[in-house]
Amino acid sequence: MAADAVDLVMAAAAEAAPEWAAAPRSRSSALVAVANALEAHRAELVDLADAEAHLGPARLNGELTRTTFQLKLFAEQVDDGRYLDVRIDRPDPQWPTGPRPDLRRYRAALGPVLVFAASNFPFAFSVAGGDTASAWAAGCPVVVKAHPGHPRLSRRTAEIITAALHDAGAPDGVFALIEGEDAGVQALRHPALAAAAFTGSQRGGLALARIAAERPVPIPFYGELGSVNPVVVTPAAAKARADEIADGYSASVTQGAGQFCTNPGLVFLPADGDLLDAIARRMSGASTAPMLNERIAGGFEGTSRTLAGRPGVRALVWPDDPTAPRLLAMDLAAFTADLDAASEECFGPLGLAVLYERIEDVAGALAALPGQLTASLHAEAEEAGDLGALAGVLAGRAGRLLWNQWPTGVSVTSAMQHGGPFPATVGPATTSVGTAAIERFLRPVAYQNVPQELLPPPLRDDNPWNVPQSIA
Amino acid sequence: MAADAVDLVMAAAAEAAPEWAAAPRSRSSALVAVANALEAHRAELVDLADAEAHLGPARLNGELTRTTFQLKLFAEQVDDGRYLDVRIDRPDPQWPTGPRPDLRRYRAALGPVLVFAASNFPFAFSVAGGDTASAWAAGCPVVVKAHPGHPRLSRRTAEIITAALHDAGAPDGVFALIEGEDAGVQALRHPALAAAAFTGSQRGGLALARIAAERPVPIPFYGELGSVNPVVVTPAAAKARADEIADGYSASVTQGAGQFCTNPGLVFLPADGDLLDAIARRMSGASTAPMLNERIAGGFEGTSRTLAGRPGVRALVWPDDPTAPRLLAMDLAAFTADLDAASEECFGPLGLAVLYERIEDVAGALAALPGQLTASLHAEAEEAGDLGALAGVLAGRAGRLLWNQWPTGVSVTSAMQHGGPFPATVGPATTSVGTAAIERFLRPVAYQNVPQELLPPPLRDDNPWNVPQSIA
């Protein structure tokens, strides 16, 4: 893509920004229109996605449903208006630090946002995915850098979006698709850009984060970089529910060929008992799904081989097929001694079981883990009272703690947190899934003693947008 | 300060963190106890501050009042609990993207926070200032790096705080004072540190921000770096209220020897009329206040002299006394041609008047300004309807827009925003003044399907902390 073309795209985004930010009702209608247009092309889009990403129609239909649901959920957020966090302080001559002026604060849209699409969710984290939906909802134009893993799907999605936005009366420039690494970097460096969001590998994400930080005017870069999502199974749970846990674990770790940032790649199991064998039996029999592309398949093969060669690691499931599910095991002491290498993410259907003698020893290893998107605890109900310290350690290293559930399949709700301590995410105070994702693309602005006709509508006394106002 | 000592301080902060975060009622009592202890030593503290910072007892008494008020206001925030942003999603088998689990999300304390004290507010932005109060309120232990401009005051304040916290039963390690640049950098690099806050110069702040970003685990660095706080006076206002505006401007720009990050160093005036002369008369007669220290006085002399030497700049008020108020002027074309140099902050009592022929031409210069903490518009009431575009440009470059008021004297309220686009602040989505300052020190964590006894108290059904829960 020519440098001039990126300039034009960014200029159009900057020009569209004020009108888009100023018209929430049009914005929410436009989001719904995009959702409906994608639904209207469902069969065509799913076919294209399957041809390029090989994830199968069932999964892809579900993912498209999630994608259109997200767009409509964010449209509701726009209409609801709570995301604006409107605060109004009336003048107070008796305020203890001196007369308080009329002060009104809300969160304004940041401006043009660049979204780097991910390979592993060709709908939900790609052109019309959660980052795009939440940035639009906040009032920001969006430029999407297409993922090279599904170029035809990206272009077709962009065409459908562009037509839907045009029909809905959205200003030109509210959306554009760009392609190619150079174009992405050029957009990231463009002075008109206000923020960027990324879902992908740690290596790629950190390189882009550095570019964002080294701009003359640095901008927020929200990178969701994945993790190994530790799971701890207590001895009591392993004993009482070995089959159920083996079923759940092997399904979660192999689902979608293991290509999820919430894939539970690391599982702590009691050294004695049958659970490890039960998991191995299921994983060796698991059907092999094609991976997203050759590069990812090659990465899986290389990373899993490196991991298998670390000190103390045994291969329990290691089929000839280089993309079939694999299971490794090591004991807790070996894991602790080699923590950095052993806790590195292997993107694909690989599980590393860490075998412990005493569950009291597990917390130390968990506390030393790098930041995680999720952490899961599988235990019996009657143990809950005794597991406070362990749960505290897990919650301290992760953005989401699960009890007797599996981390794949991230629900899109208001209480979801998809983002953990570094390096799971670059901005651990934010989420890239759920309604709170909108907060990434807003900036507070206060108005002091400003006449009604110059106030942004949500700060006015007549409240024309009908948004919640917290008045003191 | 020895390296070992910094290690001990950081280890104690890390150890205190869980207990401090887990006991909001004790925390709010401790904040009130600190406020009361500072009040009980008011005369002694104000004397010490005046001896070291030369700001005069009236200002320093007012600043101490603000400081103890802030502590109590943040104690109220802790009791109120809204800062936890509790969201509870009940299970919903009909959720459109698949059965929704029980999901509960709140904002947890980040962990130990390092506060770099400022020179120009020896109480309100120093040892017991707003950064300390808001980090404590969030549930974070605080290590303050003392400003070398008021060492005796810093140590005495620390003694009073330490005793008050001890008497209030707060865990050891919740507060410590460290001194010296090396100790500050060592603490900033310490693995136990979770975030840092800074108020001061752009140069110093950006150097520290870089250190925070280059850690193996980067942490948020909230730097409030100051700005020139542009003021625009319309021709109608200049004509109707020249004396009032001249009084207000000269008072704001010379107050506290101009040593405020909200000092209105840049003012746009109509080229014809008497307003510039009226300001010059007042500033040349303004009394000279001593500056904080020799280094700042030297910086003021050097920076103002450099600015006076830029092309097209005339000196209107330039007394022999190197720390007396100074007034420069240039026309809009010259300002626009030399924008980077002419918009650089000069910390001290200096005003640069930019003279325009047509107010329509001012918006272009304003749009090109670097990010600002504040921007002010002085105009007649009947003009408001015509100034929408200009107000929009100002609000786009600043964190707070004022109408017919002056930016110095930042009120501590829920709707205050003290933070603007880069480089006014490193994190433009945050504020360092007002109740929203607490948000800087929190991180969302979600709990999925977790039994009641393992949930943090604010997420439990019986809600023992009695905090607002948003339940869906």
Side-chain angles (χ1 to χ4, degrees), chain A residues 89 400-401 403 405 413 448, chain B residues 89 400-401 405 413 448:
Chain A
D89 296 330
R400 177 163 55 114
L401 176 68
W403 172 270
Q405 294 191 349
T413 79
Q448 181 172 329
Chain B
D89 295 330
R400 177 165 55 113
L401 176 68
Q405 294 191 348
T413 79
Q448 181 171 330

Side-chain angles (χ1 to χ4, degrees), chain B residues 125-448:
Chain B
F125 285 84
S126 190
V127 182
D131 286 334
T132 300
S134 53
W136 274 341
C140 302
V142 173
V143 175
V144 176
K145 191 282 192 175
H147 195 281
H150 46 269
R152 288 190 296 141
L153 174 67
S154 300
R155 288 175 209 139
R156 187 64 187 120
T157 306
E159 284 170 7
I160 294 167
I161 289 174
T162 303
L165 288 173
H166 184 266
D167 291 349
D172 291 343
V174 154
F175 169 77
L177 185 75
I178 62 175
E179 293 186 60
E181 204 169 308
D182 289 350
V185 169
Q186 197 196 337
L188 187 56
R189 291 195 171 128
H190 200 282
L193 191 68
F198 169 94
T199 303
S201 71
Q202 215 177 98
R203 189 202 193 124
L206 293 180
L208 293 171
R210 203 166 306 121
I211 291 172
E214 287 170 355
R215 290 166 45 108
V217 176
I219 54 170
F221 181 89
Y222 303 109
E224 194 270 78
L225 311 182
S227 58
V228 290
N229 302 292
V231 175
V232 179
V233 183
T234 66
K239 190 164 181 189
R241 298 182 283 123
D243 279 345
E244 177 197 323
I245 292 171
D247 283 346
Y249 181 74
S250 56
S252 183
V253 82
T254 62
Q255 188 189 349
Q259 299 164 123
F260 293 109
C261 45
T262 53
N263 194 45
L266 185 63
V267 58
F268 293 82
L269 306 175
D272 58 352
D274 305 326
L275 181 53
L276 180 62
D277 287 345
I279 292 172
R281 277 197 303 278
R282 282 158 181 86
M283 287 184 68
S284 60
S287 63
T288 302
M291 297 192 79
L292 288 159
N293 57 54
E294 291 296 319
R295 199 181 55 77
I296 285 176
F300 174 64
E301 165 66 10
T303 310
S304 58
R305 198 167 286 281
T306 302
L307 195 52
R310 301 300 306 181
V313 175
R314 299 176 284 135
L316 298 184
V317 178
W318 195 273
D320 290 338
D321 178 343
T323 65
R326 296 174 173 188
L327 181 64
L328 306 175
M330 68 197 304
D331 66 30
L332 183 61
F335 178 80
T336 305
D338 196 25
L339 194 130
D340 283 353
S343 63
E344 200 168 311
E345 184 181 12
C346 177
F347 195 72
L350 176 132
L352 171 61
V354 177
L355 305 173
Y356 64 82
E357 300 286 343
R358 304 180 334 136
I359 193 154
E360 302 87 304
D361 300 333
V362 173
L366 293 169
L369 282 179
Q372 302 290 323
L373 289 170
T374 73
S376 308
L377 194 46
H378 287 262
E380 296 301 283
E382 60 273 19
E383 293 183 286
D386 301 327
L387 293 170
L390 187 61
V393 169
L394 288 169
R397 299 310 301 143
R400 177 165 55 113
L401 176 68
L402 300 92
W403 172 270
N404 287 338
Q405 294 191 348
W406 303 99
T408 46
V410 181
S411 196
V412 181
T413 79
S414 75
M416 178 48 73
Q417 172 61 17
H418 189 65
F422 187 91
T425 41
V426 177
T430 62
T431 180
S432 65
V433 177
T435 56
I438 196 173
E439 296 172 10
R440 298 175 295 169
F441 306 114
L442 299 161
R443 172 177 79 85
V445 185
Y447 289 74
Q448 181 171 330

Side-chain angles (χ1 to χ4, degrees), chain A residues 349-433:
Chain A
L350 177 132
L352 170 62
V354 177
L355 304 173
Y356 65 82
E357 299 287 342
R358 303 180 335 132
I359 192 154
E360 302 88 306
D361 300 333
V362 174
L366 294 169
L369 283 180
Q372 302 292 325
L373 288 170
T374 72
S376 307
L377 195 46
H378 287 261
E380 295 301 282
E382 59 274 17
E383 294 182 284
D386 300 326
L387 292 171
L390 187 62
V393 169
L394 288 170
R397 299 310 301 142
R400 177 163 55 114
L401 176 68
L402 300 92
W403 172 270
N404 287 340
Q405 294 191 349
W406 303 99
T408 45
V410 182
S411 194
V412 181
T413 79
S414 75
M416 178 48 72
Q417 173 62 16
H418 189 65
F422 186 91
T425 40
V426 177
T430 62
T431 180
S432 66
V433 176

Side-chain angles (χ1 to χ4, degrees), chain A residues 28 31-32 35 65-80 83 133-134 137 411-416 433-438, chain B residues 89 95-97 100:
Chain A
S28 65
L31 262 70
V32 172
T65 298
R66 169 179 167 171
T67 304
T68 57
F69 171 74
Q70 278 180 164
L71 285 158
K72 290 178 181 169
L73 186 68
F74 279 110
E76 285 170 20
Q77 298 301 305
V78 176
D79 292 339
D80 172 86
Y83 73 97
S134 54
S411 194
V412 181
T413 79
S414 75
M416 178 48 72
V433 176
T435 56
I438 196 174
Chain B
D89 295 330
W95 196 242
T97 55
R100 184 173 80 176

Side-chain angles (χ1 to χ4, degrees), chain A residues 73-421:
Chain A
L73 186 68
F74 279 110
E76 285 170 20
Q77 298 301 305
V78 176
D79 292 339
D80 172 86
R82 267 179 297 182
Y83 73 97
L84 296 164
D85 190 23
V86 172
R87 303 165 179 226
I88 297 179
D89 296 330
R90 303 269 183 224
D92 181 351
Q94 304 305 320
W95 196 242
T97 55
R100 183 174 81 176
D102 183 294
L103 263 171
R104 296 161 190 247
R105 180 189 197 261
Y106 83 128
R107 299 196 292 196
L110 270 186
V113 168
L114 176 63
V115 171
F116 288 88
S119 64
N120 60 337
F121 280 91
F123 294 121
F125 286 83
S126 190
V127 181
D131 286 334
T132 299
S134 54
W136 274 342
C140 302
V142 173
V143 175
V144 175
K145 192 295 202 162
H147 195 281
H150 45 269
R152 287 190 298 141
L153 174 65
S154 300
R155 287 175 210 138
R156 186 64 187 123
T157 307
E159 283 171 7
I160 294 166
I161 290 175
T162 303
L165 288 173
H166 182 266
D167 292 349
D172 290 343
V174 154
F175 169 76
L177 184 76
I178 61 175
E179 293 186 62
E181 204 169 310
D182 290 349
V185 169
Q186 195 196 339
L188 187 56
R189 293 196 168 125
H190 199 281
L193 190 69
F198 169 94
T199 302
S201 72
Q202 217 178 96
R203 188 200 195 126
L206 293 180
L208 293 171
R210 202 166 306 121
I211 292 172
E214 287 171 353
R215 290 165 46 109
V217 175
I219 53 170
F221 181 88
Y222 303 108
E224 194 269 79
L225 312 181
S227 57
V228 290
N229 303 293
V231 174
V232 179
V233 183
T234 66
K239 191 165 180 188
R241 296 183 283 122
D243 280 344
E244 177 196 325
I245 292 171
D247 283 345
Y249 181 75
S250 56
S252 183
V253 81
T254 62
Q255 188 188 347
Q259 301 164 121
F260 293 109
C261 44
T262 53
N263 193 46
L266 185 63
V267 59
F268 293 81
L269 304 175
D272 59 351
D274 306 327
L275 182 52
L276 180 61
D277 287 344
I279 291 172
R281 275 197 304 278
R282 282 157 180 86
M283 286 183 68
S284 61
S287 63
T288 302
M291 298 194 77
L292 287 160
N293 56 55
E294 290 297 319
R295 200 181 54 75
I296 286 177
F300 173 65
E301 165 66 11
T303 310
S304 58
R305 199 165 285 279
T306 302
L307 195 54
R310 301 300 306 179
V313 175
R314 299 176 283 137
L316 297 185
V317 179
W318 196 272
D320 291 337
D321 179 345
T323 64
R326 297 176 174 189
L327 180 65
L328 306 175
M330 67 197 304
D331 66 30
L332 182 61
F335 178 81
T336 306
D338 196 26
L339 195 131
D340 284 354
S343 62
E344 199 168 312
E345 184 180 11
C346 178
F347 195 73
L350 177 132
L352 170 62
V354 177
L355 304 173
Y356 65 82
E357 299 287 342
R358 303 180 335 132
I359 192 154
E360 302 88 306
D361 300 333
V362 174
L366 294 169
L369 283 180
Q372 302 292 325
L373 288 170
T374 72
S376 307
L377 195 46
H378 287 261
E380 295 301 282
E382 59 274 17
E383 294 182 284
D386 300 326
L387 292 171
L390 187 62
V393 169
L394 288 170
R397 299 310 301 142
R400 177 163 55 114
L401 176 68
L402 300 92
W403 172 270
N404 287 340
Q405 294 191 349
W406 303 99
T408 45
V410 182
S411 194
V412 181
T413 79
S414 75
M416 178 48 72
Q417 173 62 16
H418 189 65

